Amino acid sequence: MSTTAPPKPEPAKVETAFSVIGKRNRKIEGRRKVTGAAVYTDDLAFPRMLHARILRSPHAHARIKSIDLTRALAHPGVVAGCTGKDMPVPYGIIPWTRDEYALGLDKVAYVGDAVACLAATDERTAAEALALIEVEYEVLPTVLTIEDALAHDDEPHQVNPFAKKGNVSKHVGLTFGDVDGALAASDVTIEETFEYAGSTHVPIEPHCAIGVPELNGVITVYSSTQVPHYLHRELARVLEMPADRIRVIQPTVGGGFGGKSEPFDLEFCVAWLARATGRPVKLLYTREEVFYAHRGRHPMRLTYKAGVSKDGALTGVKSKIHIDGGAYSSFGLVTTYYSGQLLTAPYRFPTYEFDSTRVFTNKPCCGPKRGHGSVQPRFAFECLLDMLAEKVGMDPIEIRRKNFIGDNTRTVNELRVTSNGFLECLSIVERASGWKERFRKLPFGKGLGVAGSMYISGTNYPIYPNDMPQSAVQIRVDRSGRVTVFCGASDIGQGSDSLLAYVVAEELGVELEAIRVVAADTDLTPVDMGAYSSRVTFMVGNAAIDAVKKLKKPIQQAVAEHWDVPAHSVWLAGGKVGTWDDPEKSMSPAEAFVLAESKFGTLGSVGSYNTPKDVHGTYRGGTIGASPAYSFTAHIAEVDVDVETGMVDVKKIWLAHDCGRAINPTLVEGQMDGSAYMGFAEAIMEEQAFKPTGLHDGPSLLDYKIPTSMDCPAFESHIVESVDAEGPYGAKEAGEGPLHPSVPAIANAIHDAIGVRMTQLPFTPAKVLKALREKRTAGRAWKGVV
Amino acid sequence: MKQVLQLIVNGEPQSCAVEPERTLLEALRYDLGLTGSKQGCDKGDCGACTVLVDGEPTLACITLALSVDGQRVTTVEGLARGPELHPVQDTFDQYGAAQCGFCTPGMLVSAWACLEQNPSATVDDLKLALSGNLCRCTGYTKIFEACLKAGERLKTEREKAGAR
């Protein structure tokens, strides 16, 4: 018996025909980030700039009877202020659930909800003057749990007046096949309830926005957003201004993870105050405010029942899910669908049913955190699958192989799956972790656990219905040889700008250094939907390829005429232009651009990408969860559980992820490591918790603990390339999928280590000790220890 | 009332007038225009504001500017050797240790201090040295990798310098 895993082998060198794709290139903005030269929103300053702060509700639920700014506005240094009445148009990222105001209009719905905003000559003055705002509240009864929300749905208890009924934010129930019949006919069924705790994104950069008044009544908003386009739309709506008078610019963003993927109060406030004062206005959240802005992982209670035949083949899966949404909708409509729709691969479900209800509660609003809506059900189901394997006497990896759905197929809920490298993922982590030699054979307290998952590479439909492209890229080249790429895509650290440069350099055959990327500026760049739902590589990459293909034709034609060779024989690659007809002939891209510019005039092109629309079911809701391609992941976690203290020490996570093709393996590994880290953090230590009054348990990084360098396990990331037929060079997503299996792999490893099933997150020492006590009481043996 | 603050910042004498409650981070970012150091929490929890004060990693957001009057301060902007990056800056870039880059200035300062003192620092040494710098993007994997590679380069540099 070996107690250690084999060392990671050197990656195999794969020769490709690419000059840029698949290479470990640096990020185009990397040098700025390591020298302190990268400019984030709070690094910007403008002449005569004011600083704003927001007054927040001390009550979890209250009617606002009156707000008086008189004393605050008289405070020396205070220049202007605004309240909900100044922006009475509701907004919301999903057009069907616009249920928030920039500042509370007639009520507040959680501790920290925005009430009023002041702009002053400096930040400290603005903060001091908040205390002079007089607000009269009528305190209302609070609803803090799913049970409360469902039990009390009369008017004073109604958290969100936009709800159609009581405190129900959204209900979705979908059935695919005769699941009850299938479960009744199964050899083995198991039912179990799981509780997934809420957690928040914690980007190290707090949200920041600056409103700047420009000529002709234009307002520019600089914001640390990951969705400049949607922000642009909602600013126009709430400020009641034509969209062409608003410009949104996204400077460098210090992390998002979904926490900056919708508009927030600060962006509306700085725009309004800039318009009202004629001066630039900056607002930087305190760390405490970031916890209130939230939009993080939804707490969910999930009851699953699943059946298998004796050979381990799944027969049916049925779930009932309750989702704690907090005070507003955010992306909640989508979350509710995702909680059911995204579970149907990589395993084949012959029958399936889910029934999900999202409720409103008097807490900060939940939303899309990395792996939106599907991390919680994935945890529950992968644990259940482990239990089923145990019951039918199968190896947990074998039961996963047995139920593999395959590639180029449809799921039970009619999602079209194209490439699928899940089996290879499983084999890689099985081998790397020494699974066969070590699973169920490690000493008591030590264990291994496996889990798998799938995730979308963007959504087939944008957030608001329209027939326009989901991504667009514009390219301009000129006689200098420089290639400028314009795109609305949003780099939040994942490498979106670099992706654009890599794809254009490869496709146009120029050197990476010749590329300039202009991104995320609504005045300059064609619309892209933004950095969410793991859509950027797939959609932006394809749009860029489309743009280059159009641009390349006149260049090839001009060179061909110059050399008197056929146009199709002219190639551009690796910073050179040549022809297959004559190996002696060669010129630089700049020379080729001069020829083309002379012949055709100024050179430029636009390209775009839109999703295929026939890849999902026609039932109501069938479009939600549909993606042009899905990524697949497998994890194996190794844990060491101290049965005296209940501490779970996650030693290592081996993960393999099918990203289609790694446009840049270093960046893909970075996304994989970071995803596995975030899943580990949710499994072991993080919880967005509240006191019975609705007060946040500790809105600081001292109280809300995220892993330090001392806490993290080792992450060993292995890339699997299934080369998707529709992805750019075969690429799919890498930023969110690899998070999902972390949590269930750790839970399953804890079971291997000490024989208890952890069903409630996070797996704190108290919960582990409680589970151990219950097991001792039940007298079940595990690895010879009672 | 404002008082004059004098510092040697990245080797250059600098001065400005600050209120007694001005933090070193505010003075650097807003008075001296050195926006490389970041504010992530403003209460000493995240480490994004880490700078060197007389060579020691220090949290600039909980250090009053006037309390370090007259001392030498090194920020991320001062780590490079003229136009050349310090090895740890270069390896952070090369090995993908900076994703969003917001923790990077503080992380680099802590890594620089650790590696300059001990280029042979192991992963365990680095874990300790970087434990006050929170990163939310990388899981620290590529940060350790970059630091180890930088340590190797520093050792090679010193061996070459020693041989001369």
Side-chain angles (χ1 to χ4, degrees):
Chain A
M1 185 186 79
S2 163
T3 53
T4 55
K8 183 178 181 180
E10 285 297 308
K13 288 224 165 32
V14 182
E15 291 301 324
T16 65
F18 299 124
S19 9
V20 182
I21 302 301
K23 303 280 193 291
R24 292 182 181 272
N25 284 300
R26 294 179 184 224
K27 288 207 290 185
I28 59 169
E29 83 292 3
R31 192 182 166 104
R32 283 205 293 273
K33 285 180 173 168
V34 299
T35 53
V39 177
Y40 299 78
T41 306
D42 187 43
D43 300 338
L44 291 166
F46 295 88
R48 301 177 71 237
M49 186 167 80
L50 301 171
H51 296 264
R53 286 292 295 269
I54 291 174
L55 178 73
R56 298 188 175 277
S57 168
H59 304 293
H61 198 194
R63 241 184 289 283
I64 299 172
K65 298 186 78 175
S66 67
I67 306 179
D68 188 351
L69 297 183
T70 316
R71 282 179 63 217
L73 291 174
H75 189 67
V78 174
V79 176
C82 55
T83 68
K85 288 200 170 63
D86 294 310
M87 290 176 272
V89 181
Y91 74 92
I93 186 75
I94 304 287
W96 294 277
T97 57
R98 289 197 168 104
D99 62 3
E100 290 186 68
Y101 294 100
L103 297 164
L105 187 60
D106 45 21
K107 68 178 289 186
V108 285
Y110 65 90
V111 176
D113 212 351
V115 175
C117 184
L118 295 177
T121 47
D122 65 278
E123 196 182 9
R124 196 156 284 149
T125 304
E128 278 167 11
L130 292 182
L132 303 174
I133 299 176
E134 289 165 23
V135 189
E136 195 185 342
Y137 294 103
E138 177 194 339
V139 176
L140 296 170
T142 55
V143 165
L144 290 171
T145 63
I146 291 166
E147 293 72 33
D148 281 355
L150 292 172
H152 305 287
D153 60 359
D154 52 323
E155 196 276 328
H157 288 90
Q158 191 177 46
V159 174
N160 192 319
F162 287 89
K164 286 201 185 85
K165 185 178 176 295
N167 282 315
V168 174
S169 155
K170 180 70 188 171
H171 172 256
V172 179
L174 287 172
T175 305
F176 305 94
D178 176 16
V179 64
D180 290 324
L183 288 172
S186 302
D187 295 325
V188 172
T189 59
I190 293 183
E191 184 174 328
E192 183 65 71
T193 297
F194 300 87
E195 284 182 25
Y196 203 106
S199 61
T200 197
H201 317 80
V202 195
I204 306 297
E205 177 200 32
H207 306 53
C208 185
I210 307 173
V212 180
E214 313 273 8
L215 297 176
N216 303 321
V218 171
I219 301 285
T220 299
V221 174
Y222 296 81
S223 176
S224 60
T225 182
Q226 54 189 102
V227 285
H229 173 65
Y230 293 130
L231 174 59
H232 184 212
R233 283 172 59 85
E234 294 304 292
L235 280 168
R237 189 182 159 79
V238 171
L239 296 175
E240 300 179 84
M241 281 170 72
D244 67 10
R245 302 299 152 84
I246 293 175
R247 177 182 188 182
V248 174
I249 299 175
Q250 179 219 303
T252 312
V253 168
F257 316 109
K260 296 171 179 170
S261 57
E262 59 198 284
F264 290 91
D265 48 24
L266 80 167
E267 291 145 332
F268 299 116
C269 287
V270 296
W272 191 93
L273 289 164
R275 190 173 63 181
T277 61
R279 292 171 69 169
V281 179
K282 178 191 275 190
L283 202 158
L284 169 67
Y285 273 176
T286 61
R287 178 50 63 182
E288 182 179 352
E289 286 178 294
V290 178
F291 283 92
Y292 301 146
H294 191 40
R295 319 283 152 157
R297 184 87 66 220
H298 286 78
M300 288 193 196
R301 182 177 312 124
L302 319 98
T303 300
Y304 274 85
K305 187 171 182 184
V308 290
S309 51
K310 271 182 209 141
D311 62 355
L314 283 162
T315 55
V317 178
K318 188 174 174 174
S319 67
K320 194 162 181 67
I321 299 172
H322 284 99
I323 305 169
D324 185 348
Y328 300 106
S329 283
S330 175
F331 285 80
L333 183 154
V334 179
T335 317
T336 312
Y337 271 105
Y338 277 7
S339 72
Q341 288 287 69
L342 295 184
L343 194 67
T344 52
Y347 317 113
R348 183 167 295 288
F349 290 6
T351 63
Y352 180 48
E353 178 179 309
F354 71 91
D355 183 289
S356 296
T357 307
R358 183 180 189 269
V359 300
F360 291 121
T361 54
N362 291 120
K363 292 183 287 192
C365 179
C366 299
K369 187 181 169 196
R370 203 174 195 171
H372 178 198
S374 70
V375 169
Q376 305 94 324
R378 181 59 62 184
F379 156 65
F381 181 74
E382 293 288 327
C383 290
L384 200 74
L385 197 54
D386 228 55
M387 294 158 77
L388 287 165
E390 192 186 3
K391 211 154 177 183
V392 295
M394 266 178 107
D395 181 284
I397 291 183
E398 285 314 313
I399 200 169
R400 286 170 169 84
R401 284 200 179 105
K402 168 83 187 173
N403 288 288
F404 177 57
I405 194 166
D407 58 6
N408 297 304
T409 184
R410 291 245 175 191
T411 64
V412 68
N413 53 344
E414 299 179 59
L415 303 177
R416 181 198 66 162
V417 173
T418 52
S419 57
N420 186 343
F422 181 61
L423 286 185
E424 198 182 340
C425 293
L426 270 180
S427 296
I428 286 174
V429 292
E430 180 182 44
R431 215 166 35 240
S433 65
W435 175 268
K436 281 182 183 157
E437 300 77 37
R438 302 165 74 225
F439 177 66
R440 288 192 183 141
K441 293 171 189 146
L442 293 172
F444 183 77
K446 296 180 194 300
L448 292 177
V450 66
S453 70
M454 75 123 170
Y455 201 63
I456 52 175
S457 300
T459 60
N460 265 28
Y461 291 83
I463 282 169
Y464 63 96
N466 72 81
D467 294 323
M468 292 175 277
Q470 287 224 38
S471 185
V473 169
Q474 191 173 4
I475 304 180
R476 200 192 67 185
V477 302
D478 72 23
R479 59 197 80 177
S480 70
R482 183 193 57 241
V483 180
T484 314
V485 184
F486 300 87
C487 181
S490 176
D491 199 320
I492 55 172
Q494 85 282 40
S496 155
D497 289 355
S498 298
L499 166 94
L500 274 162
Y502 301 151
V503 169
V504 172
E506 181 69 50
E507 201 64 25
L508 193 56
V510 299
E511 288 178 337
L512 209 41
E513 293 73 19
I515 312 263
R516 308 283 186 278
V517 175
V518 178
D521 178 334
T522 59
D523 262 17
L524 303 181
T525 57
V527 170
D528 176 80
M529 298 290 155
Y532 67 96
S533 80
S534 276
R535 53 179 296 289
V536 171
T537 295
F538 202 97
M539 298 192 187
V540 174
N542 274 328
I545 290 174
D546 184 44
V548 177
K549 286 210 159 110
K550 290 173 187 163
L551 180 66
K552 218 167 159 175
K553 281 205 176 106
I555 297 169
Q556 283 172 308
Q557 198 183 328
V559 173
E561 285 184 20
H562 179 73
W563 281 338
D564 196 20
V565 296
H568 63 78
S569 79
V570 175
W571 53 258
L572 293 86
K576 285 198 182 69
V577 183
T579 166
W580 300 114
D581 269 25
D582 184 351
E584 298 297 308
K585 288 190 157 60
S586 172
M587 68 171 77
S588 70
E591 290 169 302
F593 297 166
V594 166
L595 291 173
E597 198 175 333
S598 309
K599 186 171 174 57
F600 297 106
T602 306
L603 297 171
S605 71
V606 288
S608 60
Y609 174 77
N610 213 342
T611 47
K613 302 299 184 204
D614 56 348
V615 299
H616 51 75
T618 51
Y619 58 91
R620 183 179 162 85
T623 58
I624 305 184
S627 172
Y630 298 89
S631 74
F632 296 91
T633 317
H635 283 204
I636 287 177
E638 179 171 351
V639 302
D640 194 340
V641 183
D642 184 330
V643 290
E644 296 300 319
T645 63
M647 286 286 286
V648 177
D649 184 6
V650 181
K651 309 298 285 186
K652 187 161 183 173
I653 295 178
W654 293 265
L655 59 154
H657 177 71
D658 166 22
C659 67
R661 175 169 331 261
I663 302 279
N664 179 335
T666 299
L667 301 194
V668 171
E669 287 162 2
Q671 289 301 307
M672 293 171 66
D673 297 340
S675 289
Y677 149 90
M678 206 165 260
F680 149 78
E682 290 180 24
I684 298 299
M685 57 203 296
E686 292 186 20
E687 183 169 6
Q688 171 97 329
F690 298 87
K691 298 184 195 307
T693 53
L695 197 64
H696 193 288
D697 226 11
S700 77
L701 291 174
L702 194 62
D703 295 300
Y704 183 98
K705 290 189 170 37
I706 67 172
T708 69
S709 53
M710 306 283 283
D711 303 313
C712 284
F715 302 104
E716 187 177 300
S717 295
H718 297 261
I719 294 169
V720 170
E721 297 187 313
S722 61
V723 188
D724 189 79
E726 294 176 25
Y729 306 101
K732 302 188 287 189
E733 76 91 35
E736 302 188 72
L739 189 153
H740 293 70
S742 280
V743 186
I746 291 168
N748 292 337
I750 293 172
H751 179 258
D752 184 40
I754 58 172
V756 301
R757 290 281 172 198
M758 300 303 297
T759 56
Q760 292 180 359
L761 285 165
F763 311 138
T764 56
K767 291 201 191 107
V768 171
L769 289 178
K770 182 167 173 275
L772 273 168
R773 267 198 308 276
E774 284 165 4
K775 186 186 73 132
R776 286 201 187 98
T777 315
R780 282 186 285 122
W782 186 252
K783 289 181 180 173
V785 182
V786 176
Chain B
M1 205 181 74
K2 284 187 176 176
Q3 294 176 40
V4 173
L5 169 72
Q6 290 187 311
L7 299 169
I8 311 288
V9 185
N10 301 327
E12 291 173 18
Q14 300 267 14
S15 64
C16 57
V18 298
E19 298 285 352
E21 70 267 26
R22 196 74 158 165
T23 66
L24 177 58
L25 182 65
E26 289 169 333
L28 289 169
R29 283 179 58 77
Y30 306 135
D31 298 323
L32 299 175
L34 290 165
T35 52
S37 307
K38 300 301 180 211
Q39 177 180 313
C41 68
D42 208 24
K43 57 206 311 193
D45 296 335
C46 78
C49 66
T50 308
V51 298
L52 300 175
V53 175
D54 283 347
E56 279 298 310
T58 302
L59 296 168
C61 80
I62 51 169
T63 301
L64 288 174
L66 291 168
S67 74
V68 295
D69 189 36
Q71 289 179 267
R72 303 180 71 84
V73 175
T74 306
T75 68
V76 66
E77 289 96 337
L79 297 183
R81 302 154 167 179
E84 296 289 317
L85 296 180
H86 183 273
V88 76
Q89 290 175 298
D90 191 48
T91 55
F92 261 58
D93 185 18
Q94 184 179 357
Y95 295 98
Q99 284 189 27
C100 84
F102 203 79
C103 75
T104 307
M107 192 72 76
L108 279 170
V109 166
S110 295
W112 186 95
C114 173
L115 293 168
E116 280 289 331
Q117 197 187 8
N118 177 17
S120 306
T122 63
V123 170
D124 281 343
D125 298 332
L126 290 163
K127 280 185 178 179
L128 193 61
L130 304 179
S131 60
N133 296 84
L134 296 174
C135 169
R136 197 59 166 165
C137 294
T138 62
Y140 304 95
T141 315
K142 297 215 177 277
I143 292 175
F144 296 147
E145 185 185 357
C147 289
L148 293 175
K149 300 280 186 192
E152 285 169 22
R153 285 193 206 172
L154 280 172
K155 272 189 286 183
T156 311
E157 276 180 11
R158 288 181 188 186
E159 278 158 18
K160 277 185 189 160
R164 272 203 294 272

